Amino acid sequence: QQGWPLVHLAALETWQGDHDAARLAVDEALEITAGTESPIATAYALAIGCRCEADIAEHARRYDKTADAERATSRAQSFVDHMSSLMQRPGPAEGWKREVGALRLQCEGELLRAGGTGDPAAWAAATAAWDAMKMPYHGAYTRFRQAEATSAIATDRDRVSELLIEAHRVSSSLGAAPLQL
């Protein structure tokens, strides 16, 4: 499918912190994948878009750019809404809906992060979904975010350490340099 190169480009641009380029790639990917039979590429573009917007919102809040944070959070909300509409399509629960469902949970965590209120439970749900599908890369990322959210609202250092150690173990075993903490 033509959208995949743009999805991967958006992910790379997000990892590198080039959020303007990531936004463009996400928008192009969504345009190309709109109406396609399989919503997987669209769902991944939406998930990367949510992550990019959460990064932008966090940065904007750090520098008291409230309007920028609000725009990024609004855009993340639109991506979550789009993801929910994908889940309304008919399809088998154990088919593409399972993966799109995990991506939707991840987007919900990103939306909360964009809004400035991390929720460890949201990230735990996403992690459980990825673990159930044996998709360790995604599980490592959501564990990192779960640890981040946990450390922001609680003093459970043991749980934070446990999550970070597991995320690091998995990312190291995969050779996933961007996830290595």
Side-chain angles (χ1 to χ4, degrees), residues 48-92:
I48 293 163
C50 279
R51 177 172 170 210
C52 178
E53 298 305 324
D55 289 352
I56 291 168
E58 280 186 334
H59 181 79
R61 274 193 311 281
R62 195 173 304 126
Y63 294 99
D64 293 324
K65 296 182 178 181
T66 305
D68 291 346
E70 289 173 355
R71 275 191 296 277
T73 302
S74 176
R75 191 165 149 93
Q77 179 66 62
S78 73
F79 291 155
V80 169
D81 294 345
H82 191 160
M83 188 75 78
S84 294
S85 73
L86 290 179
M87 291 299 292
Q88 299 298 321
R89 289 186 182 182

Side-chain angles (χ1 to χ4, degrees), residues 136-137 140 167-180:
Y137 178 87
H168 180 72
R169 184 193 67 73
V170 171
S171 63
S172 294
S173 72
L174 293 172
L179 286 178
Q180 292 177 6

Side-chain angles (χ1 to χ4, degrees), residues 124-140:
T127 299
W130 290 122
D131 287 352
M133 290 185 292
K134 298 183 179 7
M135 295 183 80
Y137 178 87
H138 299 293

